[in-house]
Amino acid sequence: MGAGKTTIGSLVAEKLNRTFIDIDEVIEEEYGLSINEIFAEHGENKFREIEKQTIRSFCEQPLKVISLGGGAFTQPEVREICLANCMVVYVDISWEHWKERLDLLIDTRPVLRGKDLKEVEELFLQRKAAYQENHWTLTVDGKTAEEAADCLIDSLESMWTSH
């Protein structure tokens, strides 16, 4: 959440000439509601079910760059689907760098509403633990989105050419 997945993912897709899919945007388009509105009107459990089905459908399609919402990968079934069908890249950011973005995130992330800084840090660390199951970690501390995208592409290209 707020690590730059969407920005970096769209840059990677553009550079690799692939289709970029932001799962939250797909859900908002399909339901005609913002994620905040879906949370408010239907609850987090309903949103997570919608999210899981949307992710499943896109993970079955080849040659896409997909950005999941920050809470999606905390669901064991979503992790299994992604790890089995996709190259999972964890966009890692330290708490110190991430909390600098908190003012930009608080209004657009329903799971942060009403939480104090300690509760937000606990959520951040909980999610970080789930994200450890991945194929590759991209650390973005101190990197621009462009630098992070180039680093990811360079790493992917070296993996592809070594096999």
Side-chain angles (χ1 to χ4, degrees):
M1 175 174 40
K5 297 177 304 292
T6 299
T7 304
I8 294 165
S10 62
L11 286 168
V12 168
E14 181 182 320
K15 290 170 183 271
L16 295 177
N17 199 27
R18 301 282 187 247
T19 302
F20 176 71
I21 306 294
D22 180 286
I23 295 297
D24 286 350
E25 287 178 11
V26 169
I27 292 169
E28 288 177 339
E29 269 183 43
E30 187 172 323
Y31 287 84
L33 298 169
S34 70
I35 300 303
N36 284 339
E37 291 168 332
I38 295 171
F39 263 70
E41 291 180 27
H42 303 285
E44 183 174 1
N45 289 340
K46 177 66 175 170
F47 170 76
R48 295 297 176 201
E49 189 57 37
I50 293 167
E51 180 181 55
K52 181 172 49 180
Q53 296 312 317
T54 305
I55 290 167
R56 181 187 313 277
S57 73
F58 282 104
C59 282
E60 294 169 354
Q61 300 175 28
L63 304 175
K64 305 260 188 284
V65 176
I66 304 169
S67 174
L68 306 185
F73 208 71
T74 63
Q75 299 176 75
E77 193 174 344
V78 168
R79 274 198 310 277
E80 289 170 21
I81 292 165
C82 293
L83 290 165
N85 296 293
C86 304
M87 166 65 75
V88 176
V89 177
Y90 165 35
V91 178
D92 186 21
I93 188 169
S94 68
W95 169 249
E96 291 71 31
H97 281 88
W98 186 81
K99 72 180 178 181
E100 293 172 7
R101 302 176 181 195
L102 191 54
D103 287 344
L104 302 171
L105 302 172
I106 203 91
D107 291 333
T108 59
R109 304 309 198 276
V111 295
L112 298 180
R113 290 231 176 89
K115 289 186 169 50
D116 63 28
L117 189 60
K118 184 68 179 157
E119 292 170 315
V120 170
E121 183 178 15
E122 287 171 11
L123 177 64
F124 177 88
L125 295 173
Q126 274 178 347
R127 287 184 170 189
K128 206 168 178 61
Y131 301 157
Q132 298 308 308
E133 292 183 55
N134 62 68
H135 296 111
W136 195 71
T137 299
L138 171 67
T139 302
V140 297
D141 287 356
K143 289 184 176 80
T144 66
E146 190 80 32
E147 290 167 340
D150 288 342
C151 180
L152 177 53
I153 290 168
D154 290 346
S155 297
L156 291 172
E157 286 175 346
S158 68
M159 285 182 352
W160 293 328
T161 57
S162 68
H163 287 95

